[in-house]
Amino acid sequence: MTGDNDKLLESFFQEAARQTIEDNGFSQRVMHRLPWRADRLARVWTVFCVALAVALFIYLRGGELLITYIEVFVRTLPTMQLPHINLPMLMVTAATLLGVGIYELLDNERLSS
């Protein structure tokens, strides 16, 4: 029964694909009015903001400040009283976060294509 239904559907869609509907340029006008310009402006704005952030980071010597913070952290790390760390739980947590991150990345790529 489903084989017959599939054949009927295939023949219907093959016939429908052969038909052309005259729209007097309506489709072309709709395609020209789609918000492609907004996407382009958003990309330009993003590039501008990233460039500004990098320029400010360099101008305000953010690299020196970052290196200083890392150095202070590393030098004071041995003096810190760290609680007992459960290594297996830490590994499971890290693996879970990594898995969720990979899933979100793949899901976003799937949705955007």
Side-chain angles (χ1 to χ4, degrees):
M1 185 73 179
T2 56
D4 294 334
N5 288 341
D6 290 341
K7 289 178 186 176
L8 285 172
L9 283 173
E10 283 180 31
S11 67
F12 172 76
F13 284 119
Q14 284 176 353
E15 290 173 17
R18 286 187 218 120
Q19 295 178 355
T20 57
I21 299 172
E22 196 61 41
D23 65 354
N24 296 326
F26 175 76
S27 298
Q28 190 67 22
R29 289 192 307 269
V30 169
M31 292 303 289
H32 282 293
R33 290 187 182 184
L34 289 177
W36 65 272
R37 187 170 183 257
D39 291 338
R40 187 173 174 206
L41 288 175
R43 287 186 183 136
V44 170
W45 180 248
T46 301
V47 169
F48 172 75
C49 288
V50 168
L52 182 65
V54 168
L56 284 174
F57 185 79
I58 292 169
Y59 177 73
L60 297 174
R61 297 187 209 134
E64 294 175 18
L65 187 61
L66 188 62
I67 290 171
T68 303
Y69 281 148
I70 291 172
E71 181 183 356
V72 168
F73 176 74
V74 169
R75 286 182 186 232
T76 59
L77 190 59
T79 64
M80 292 182 185
Q81 296 288 331
L82 298 176
H84 176 70
I85 297 173
N86 187 353
L87 187 59
M89 185 57 84
L90 182 64
M91 291 173 60
V92 167
T93 304
T96 302
L97 290 174
L98 182 64
V100 168
I102 291 171
Y103 173 79
E104 286 293 323
L105 180 68
L106 293 175
D107 192 44
N108 284 340
E109 285 181 9
R110 181 183 59 84
L111 290 176
S112 66
S113 42

